[in-house]
Amino acid sequence: VTFHPASLLVFFPGLLFGVLRILSGSVLAGTLFHATCNLVMEILHRSLG
Amino acid sequence: MVVRTNFDAIGADCSLPVPVADSSPPSSVSPVSAASRRAIFREVGLLFLGATVLVSVLYRLRSIPLVESNIAVVAAVAFLYLPALLLWRRGHELEDFGLRFRPIGRSLLLWIALTMLVLPPFGYCYELFVHRLCPQYLMKLVVCPTPIAKTLQAAAAAAAAHCVAGARGRVARGVFLSGLHSAAARRGDDVHGERGFRRRRCLRSDTIW
């Protein structure tokens, strides 16, 4: 367990995935959104430097 | 399907409550007693603590190649299947708690809506953070995440290359220099001439990183 502030980058999206699970009743929406976030972050890293 | 004791099912003949499917809106009376709720919190807390301790111990042992290569899998299995083992022992399935595709339409709709709502502003803020806020202010506090710091290190290396070549690059004339400019001016350096400019640029590139 590390206490690096960057861990919050995982915590808050986790809350969002929980909200998606509650609203949809399934983990499918959260799974797709997680994959989309990973893809967008990769694109941002490559395009913005 | 979540099985819940429906107290509305108690009829005039005072028959026992019947477990029914969760198809009706939740009533104002909570079907879970305070003792049960405490037991649930204790169980979830202990399970989470156990999985966290297990993964933490493995993380400390990641110098062992076998642990290093499998720690992600072990963490996923621990956090997924430890709760699942308890549920299976009580006759529940993971599908009851959302591990399923249905309802596909609603899920897809929520996914598209949230993607449109969150990611464009996030991308804009990310661009601001990387190119404006982070180099100007936050780098001095060393709070930039590692990938961004690496990005900025690359920018500093590019500035240093400009310094060696003696070129007036855009990076070298950028926001990094503003603070040093005023400091050099207070010292009476030739801040507007070529010598002062080159000195500021080189010094700033060395001191940031």
Side-chain angles (χ1 to χ4, degrees):
Chain A
V1 178
T2 58
F3 297 99
H4 197 278
S7 301
L8 296 175
L9 295 172
V10 180
F11 176 76
F12 289 108
L15 293 180
L16 201 58
F17 297 142
V19 170
L20 276 177
R21 157 67 181 87
I22 291 172
L23 290 179
S24 70
S26 158
V27 296
L28 178 61
T31 307
L32 291 174
F33 187 62
H34 194 302
T36 309
C37 288
N38 290 347
L39 184 66
V40 168
M41 277 308 295
E42 191 64 31
I43 292 171
L44 286 175
H45 266 294
R46 288 172 187 262
S47 60
L48 294 180
Chain B
M1 170 173 41
V2 177
V3 176
R4 172 182 296 175
T5 304
N6 188 352
F7 286 90
D8 294 330
I10 302 174
D13 57 350
C14 296
S15 58
L16 290 173
V18 181
V20 296
D22 186 17
S23 57
S24 60
S27 63
S28 58
V29 180
S30 172
V32 182
S33 67
S36 301
R37 191 171 293 150
R38 276 198 300 273
I40 290 172
F41 276 116
R42 186 168 59 244
E43 184 180 82
V44 170
L46 286 175
L47 207 60
F48 180 78
L49 187 67
T52 304
V53 167
L54 172 66
V55 174
S56 181
V57 168
L58 289 176
Y59 184 76
R60 305 293 174 195
L61 297 174
R62 66 187 185 282
S63 57
I64 304 170
L66 182 66
V67 174
E68 169 72 23
S69 56
N70 292 301
I71 186 171
V73 177
V74 173
V77 168
F79 278 101
L80 178 61
Y81 283 103
L82 283 181
L85 283 175
L86 283 180
L87 291 173
W88 287 334
R89 207 174 61 178
R90 294 176 183 172
H92 295 291
E93 288 296 330
L94 291 178
E95 279 190 13
D96 302 340
F97 300 91
L99 226 68
R100 57 173 185 261
F101 288 125
R102 287 172 286 113
I104 293 179
R106 185 177 175 81
S107 298
L108 291 179
L109 199 65
L110 276 168
W111 166 53
I112 293 171
L114 204 68
T115 299
M116 294 293 107
L117 191 70
V118 171
L119 294 184
F122 175 80
Y124 179 69
C125 293
Y126 185 87
E127 195 275 340
L128 284 181
F129 181 77
V130 169
H131 285 158
R132 301 185 188 181
L133 186 66
C134 199
Q136 273 188 288
Y137 304 110
L138 298 183
M139 269 313 294
K140 296 171 183 172
L141 303 175
V142 199
V143 296
C144 291
T146 305
I148 298 173
K150 283 181 180 174
T151 300
L152 293 171
Q153 282 173 1
H162 278 288
C163 175
V164 171
R168 291 178 179 233
R170 174 176 172 272
V171 174
R173 288 195 299 269
V175 292
F176 294 140
L177 300 176
S178 57
L180 202 67
H181 182 280
S182 56
R186 281 195 298 274
R187 287 198 308 269
D189 286 358
D190 178 23
V191 293
H192 296 293
E194 173 63 24
R195 197 165 56 96
F197 173 75
R198 189 169 295 177
R199 177 179 174 181
R200 288 194 310 276
R201 187 172 51 190
C202 297
L203 182 60
R204 192 57 177 163
S205 298
D206 291 341
T207 52
I208 288 176
W209 317 109

